[in-house]
Amino acid sequence: MTRWTPPPSDLPTSWYNVLPRLQSPLEPPLHPATRQPVGPDDLAPLFPMGLIAQEVSSEPWIDIPGEVLDILRLWRPTPLVRAIRLEQALGTPARIYFKDESVSPAGSHKPNTAVPQVFYNRVEGTTRLATETGAGQWGTALSFACAQFDLECMVYMVRSSYEAKAYRKTMMEVWGGRVVPSPVAEPEHPGSLGTAITDAVRDAATRPDTHYSLGSVLNHVLLHQTVIGLEARDQLSAAGERLPDVVIAPCGGGSNLAGIALPFYEDAAVRIMAVEPSSCPTLTEGRFDYDFGDTGGLTPLLPMYTLGHEFVPPRIHAGGLRYHGDAPIISNLVRDGRVEAVAYPQGKVFDAAIQFARTEGKIPAPETAHGIRAAIDEALAAKETGEERVILFNFSGHGHLDLAAYDEYLRGDLPDY
Amino acid sequence: MTRWTPPPSDLPTSWYNVLPRLQSPLEPPLHPATRQPVGPDDLAPLFPMGLIAQEVSSEPWIDIPGEVLDILRLWRPTPLVRAIRLEQALGTPARIYFKDESVSPAGSHKPNTAVPQVFYNRVEGTTRLATETGAGQWGTALSFACAQFDLECMVYMVRSSYEAKAYRKTMMEVWGGRVVPSPVAEPEHPGSLGTAITDAVRDAATRPDTHYSLGSVLNHVLLHQTVIGLEARDQLSAAGERLPDVVIAPCGGGSNLAGIALPFYEDAAVRIMAVEPSSCPTLTEGRFDYDFGDTGGLTPLLPMYTLGHEFVPPRIHAGGLRYHGDAPIISNLVRDGRVEAVAYPQGKVFDAAIQFARTEGKIPAPETAHGIRAAIDEALAAKETGEERVILFNFSGHGHLDLAAYDEYLRGDLPDY
C-alpha cells in the first residue's frame, strides 16, 4: 500500500507539549523596555488566557477541545503517502514518506493552529481578530478559521504582496476576511512583515473587542501543530515501519518543523532536520541571542537563533521562510544538538520541486520544496551507502498559488541565491 | 463520522460500462461526409485500438490495467465527505454527501481518464499526444498523465485563455507539457474550443508518432470516470446509507456526471440530476439531433442534445460547461427520462460556492459550484417537506486557479446570465 488515511475517529485528542520535556529549560521572553521576564498580564491585551496558559504550560499533554476537533475533522487526519514513484526515479533503497498537509481548506498546515486560536478567543468573548500576513498563507488560514466560529478577521497584508498576490487576498475574502495593505498610514510604502505586525498589534491593542493572532514562533502555535507528527507516528506504524531514521521539514518560524518532528523528540535515534534557504540562514549562520520577534522592535525579546531583527533577506519565493529569527523551542533544540539544520539556494529547491511534481504528481509550495530537496538528498546518500533509510518529510502546502514562481524557474529567470 | 477514505487496496478494479445496459441502444456516430456510421478504421488515425474497442464495447465490466491502477493510487480512492456543517447552516433534515475529486494532482476528476488514455496509447507505441484545452483543466490532466508514462504532451490552448490564465499554462509546463496558443496560424485571433480542436486533430493526423486525446463526451471517457461512482457506492454503504435519493453533478460534456451517476443507473429509485448554466442550456433547452462535436464541423456527427454547433455561449467562468452539445450517453438518458436536468444563472451558482466555502472550507471550481447549487436546493426542498433525503454530489474540482472569478463576484461585478 502507498497511502494511509485513518478515519476521522483516529484524530489525536491531545497535543504533545515538549516544554516540560526539554533537556535545557526555555529562557523566558523579556519585556522590551524593562528586560524583565514577561508575565501573563503583559500578554493579556493581545491574547486570551487559554493561549497564554499554553505558552508556559508544564502539562506533558494538553486536551484538544471538542469544538476544535469538530473543525479539524473537515480535513484531518491527513494522508501519509509513500513516495514510491520518487524512490524509483532516484533508484534509492530508502523509503520516503510524506505527510500531506496541503489537503486543508487553506492548502497548508497553518489551519491546525488557526482553528484553536480562534476557538480560545471566542470562548473568552473576543469577536474580532487582527493579524499580519506576508505571502498570505497565514491570513488565509485565519480567515478560514474565523468563518467557522463567526469572528471578524482583519488582515494586514504586506503591501507589495497585496498588489502582487491578488488571489491570496481574494481567498481570504471568500471566507469573509477583511484585507488591507500595510503600512496603512503610508500608501506609497511597499511594506514588510515588520510594518504589518505593527499595524496588527496596534489594531488589537486599541480595540477592546479585538485580539492579536500569530501564525508561528510562539510555543502555543508549535503545540497546536503537533497533531501532524502524532498522526504520522500511528500511520508509519500502520505502514509497517518502526520509526523514521530522519524527520525533515522546512523551517521559517518553526511551526511546520515542530508539528511533524516534536512527537519524535524523545526517540533519540530519530534525526530531526530543519531546512532553510541559503539566503536567510537563521539556524545555519545566525547567532543564539535575545532578539525582537518583529523588525520594528515592538514585541518581547525572544531567546533564539537570529540574523538580527533588521536583517532583510532577498525576495525569494518561499516567503514563509524569510524570517530573521526562529521559534525559541526550535532554537533551544538546535543549540542542544537535538535538531540539525541545512540550507539550500532556491535553484536546487525548485529542481527538487519539479522532480517531485513529475513523479508524485503534487505541485509543492516553494517552502515545502525545501523539505523535498533535503529528503531527496538523504535518499541519494542512502543510495551511496546502500542503506534502507526511512525518511519522513512534511508536505506542508501546495503550490497552486505560487505558479508564477514556477514560471520564472522554467523560463530560466530564477535568481539562484 | 464525517469522512470516509478507504485504503488504496479498495480501489475499483473494473470500470462500469453502461452501453450494454441502456434501455434504448445508442445510435452510432456518422461520418461527416458520407453520413454512414463511423467504423474503427475511421478512428484509427486518431485513437489507439484499446480505446476504440471501449468506445463500442458490450462488456458490462472492463478491467482496469494494473499500470493504470498504480497511478490512480496516487490519489484514489478519493474521500466521501458528509457536509454536516453545510446541513446545519441550511437547517435541513437532508444528509448531504460529496465525493471529493479535487484531491487529484491536477485538481479535478479529469486525470481519471487522462491516465488510461495515455496508457493505451503508450501500449500501442504512440510517443506523443495532442489535445486542445479551453480553461485548462483537461490540458493540465493530460500533461500530468503524460509525465507518468514519459509521453510528450502537446496542448493547443484557446488563445484568450492562454493569455488570461497564464498559471494554468505554467501548471502544464511543470509536468513537462508543451502549450501553444490556438489558432496557431492566426496570431491575432482570440481562439475558441473549435479552433483548438482543429489544431490538435490536424497535428495528430499529420504526425505518425502522435495521437489525439479528448477529455469528455466520448463513451470511453465516461467509462473511465465511473471509478468515482463505484467508490461512492461503497463509501455510502460504509457511512450507513443504503442508496442516495438523488445524485447530482455539473454537466458540460458529461464525463463528470457520468462518473458519479452511471454506477447508480440500474437503481431505478435513485434520481440523477445534470446541472448546467442557464447561458448554455444544452439539456434543458437544446434539441436532440445529430450534430458535430466541434464548432468547425471536422468531427463525426454525434447523436445528442445540442444548441447547434455554431452556438457561442457567453464568457461565464465555468469554462468547462460552455459546450454546445453533450455526451451521447447522457443525451440518451435524458431523452429516456432517466436523467433530469436543471439550469442556473451564475450569480446563484456563486452564492452557493461562497456558502459552501464558509461552512465546509473548500473553495469549489465554478463548474463544481453548479452541482453545489442544486444540492443546496434539494436540501432546502427536503426542509420544506421534512424529508430525510440523502443527497450525493460530485465535488469535481477546486477553485484555486479561479480566484479571479470569485473576486469579480465579491466586488459585485459578476454578470448574472
Side-chain angles (χ1 to χ4, degrees), chain A residues 105-106 140 143-144 147 170-177, chain B residues 357-358 361-363:
Chain A
T140 312
S143 294
F144 156 72
T170 303
M171 209 165 178
M172 297 181 230
E173 290 172 346
V174 165
W175 286 309
Chain B
R358 292 188 182 169
K362 299 189 79 97
I363 298 177

Side-chain angles (χ1 to χ4, degrees), chain A residues 114-357:
Chain A
V115 172
Q117 287 194 42
V118 176
F119 168 78
Y120 288 109
N121 272 289
R122 204 210 41 185
V123 164
E124 298 183 25
T126 305
T127 58
R128 185 171 170 276
L129 287 178
T131 197
E132 71 284 336
T133 200
Q137 280 283 12
W138 171 243
T140 312
L142 195 68
S143 294
F144 156 72
C146 281
Q148 303 308 310
F149 289 111
D150 279 330
L151 265 74
E152 280 182 67
C153 185
M154 180 74 207
V155 182
Y156 294 91
M157 188 170 184
V158 175
R159 180 171 279 110
S160 58
S161 296
Y162 181 91
E163 283 159 5
K165 298 208 166 193
Y167 296 149
R168 271 280 169 210
K169 171 176 77 75
T170 303
M171 209 165 178
M172 297 181 230
E173 290 172 346
V174 165
W175 286 309
R178 195 173 151 225
V179 191
V180 295
S182 167
V184 285
E186 297 169 71
E188 303 302 315
H189 193 299
S192 68
L193 217 43
T195 70
I197 294 178
T198 306
D199 277 334
V201 169
R202 183 183 298 127
D203 180 313
T206 54
R207 285 186 57 153
D209 62 346
T210 301
H211 268 159
Y212 172 66
S213 180
L214 194 67
S216 192
V217 179
L218 299 182
N219 302 343
H220 68 270
V221 181
L222 275 57
L223 174 79
H224 300 155
Q225 294 291 356
T226 58
V227 290
I228 304 172
L230 291 169
E231 288 177 10
R233 279 188 82 96
D234 288 348
Q235 289 165 307
L236 275 175
S237 166
E241 304 288 0
R242 214 183 58 79
L243 279 174
D245 292 291
V246 57
V247 180
I248 298 172
C251 193
S255 74
N256 177 342
L257 176 70
I260 194 158
L262 290 183
F264 295 96
Y265 168 72
E266 288 161 288
D267 304 291
V270 177
R271 292 165 55 214
I272 298 175
M273 184 183 289
V275 192
E276 54 186 22
S278 299
S279 58
C280 190
T282 314
L283 297 171
T284 49
E285 297 184 30
R287 67 181 196 284
F288 190 95
D289 201 354
Y290 269 106
D291 196 4
F292 295 105
D294 65 332
T295 53
L298 284 182
T299 71
L301 291 157
L302 300 173
M304 62 183 178
Y305 280 92
T306 176
L307 296 161
H309 64 276
E310 286 173 341
F311 177 80
V312 179
R315 293 189 156 275
I316 56 168
H317 288 292
L321 306 184
R322 293 177 72 246
Y323 185 57
H324 68 274
D326 228 303
I329 286 174
I330 297 296
S331 298
N332 175 292
L333 296 176
V334 169
R335 190 186 50 181
D336 281 3
R338 182 66 189 89
V339 169
E340 32 187 305
V342 291
Y344 287 105
Q346 70 176 349
K348 277 183 187 297
V349 165
F350 274 86
D351 293 345
I354 294 284
Q355 183 167 29
F356 186 84

Side-chain angles (χ1 to χ4, degrees), chain B residues 106-235:
Chain B
S108 79
H109 66 294
K110 294 284 185 187
N112 296 331
T113 183
V115 172
Q117 287 194 43
V118 176
F119 169 78
Y120 287 109
N121 272 289
R122 204 210 42 185
V123 164
E124 299 182 25
T126 305
T127 57
R128 184 171 171 277
L129 287 178
T131 197
E132 71 285 335
T133 200
Q137 279 283 13
W138 171 241
T140 312
L142 196 68
S143 296
F144 157 72
C146 282
Q148 302 308 311
F149 289 111
D150 278 328
L151 266 74
E152 281 182 66
C153 185
M154 179 73 208
V155 182
Y156 294 91
M157 188 169 183
V158 175
R159 180 171 279 110
S160 57
S161 295
Y162 180 91
E163 285 161 4
K165 298 208 165 192
Y167 295 148
R168 271 280 168 209
K169 172 175 78 75
T170 304
M171 207 166 181
M172 296 181 230
E173 290 171 346
V174 165
W175 286 308
R178 196 174 148 223
V179 191
V180 295
S182 168
V184 284
E186 297 167 72
E188 302 303 314
H189 193 299
S192 68
L193 217 43
T195 69
I197 293 178
T198 305
D199 278 333
V201 168
R202 183 184 298 125
D203 180 314
T206 54
R207 285 187 57 153
D209 62 346
T210 301
H211 269 159
Y212 172 66
S213 182
L214 194 68
S216 191
V217 178
L218 299 181
N219 302 343
H220 68 271
V221 182
L222 274 58
L223 174 78
H224 300 155
Q225 293 293 355
T226 58
V227 290
I228 305 171
L230 291 169
E231 287 176 11
R233 279 189 81 96
D234 287 348
Q235 289 164 307

